[in-house]
Amino acid sequence: MRTLEQIRAADALGKIRAVQETFAGDEEKADKFASYVESLPATILTNGLGQAAATLLAQAKGVQSDPHYKIYRFLEEWLCRDAPEAPYRLAKDLMEAIVSNDRQAYLHAQAEALAWLEWLKKFAVAFLKKKPE
């Protein structure tokens, strides 16, 4: 049986592999994605999960191919997945789950988002960040 930490790592690695395929040949977009992922944990700590998620949506401006939107969707998929430990298990929409649940669920979701983002950030830097010239 795998630990939750292993499950987080596997999920994050899968997301980064998908981003590599999506942005294949577009090093600039991949690098921007990695930069956005790198800054997201600090944004969550400063402003909270709800504000950070809303900001990602606002920056994407409804464009689903935008790196901000992809990060939002990945976060939503993780926090709303069908697993007993998921803070918003089976919720259809992350923003709706954030605004309609209690403080305890919000704090759990925020802590889980930060734990999962540590893996996503490490893999994004390792596989997507442009190499210094």
Side-chain angles (χ1 to χ4, degrees):
M1 186 160 177
R2 296 185 309 164
T3 66
L4 180 55
E5 202 63 22
Q6 288 174 303
I7 295 168
R8 285 182 189 124
D11 183 78
L13 181 59
K15 301 286 195 258
I16 294 302
R17 295 292 188 212
V19 169
Q20 281 181 303
E21 287 180 27
T22 301
F23 296 144
D26 193 343
E27 205 174 279
E28 191 69 31
K29 252 191 182 167
D31 189 64
K32 282 183 179 181
F33 179 93
S35 293
Y36 301 150
V37 168
E38 277 185 290
S39 67
L40 187 55
T43 303
I44 291 172
L45 289 171
T46 303
N47 302 314
L49 176 62
Q51 287 281 348
T55 299
L56 287 170
L57 286 175
Q59 290 171 323
K61 296 179 177 84
V63 179
Q64 293 185 3
S65 62
D66 185 272
H68 294 98
Y69 188 80
K70 289 197 176 304
I71 297 167
Y72 174 83
R73 291 291 302 171
F74 290 164
L75 192 58
E76 180 178 65
E77 288 168 8
W78 179 254
L79 296 176
C80 301
R81 71 195 186 287
D82 184 9
E85 67 277 358
Y88 298 131
R89 185 175 184 208
L90 299 175
K92 302 285 185 235
D93 179 80
L94 178 58
M95 289 308 302
E96 188 64 40
I98 288 171
V99 300
S100 63
N101 279 281
D102 64 16
R103 178 179 168 79
Q104 185 175 349
Y106 180 81
L107 293 175
H108 178 212
Q110 184 166 286
E112 186 55 40
L114 290 168
W116 176 78
L117 279 166
E118 279 304 307
W119 285 105
L120 192 71
K121 184 169 91 171
K122 287 175 184 164
F123 292 136
V125 169
F127 297 112
L128 301 175
K129 208 63 171 153
K130 278 200 274 188
K131 310 296 181 258
E133 296 181 24

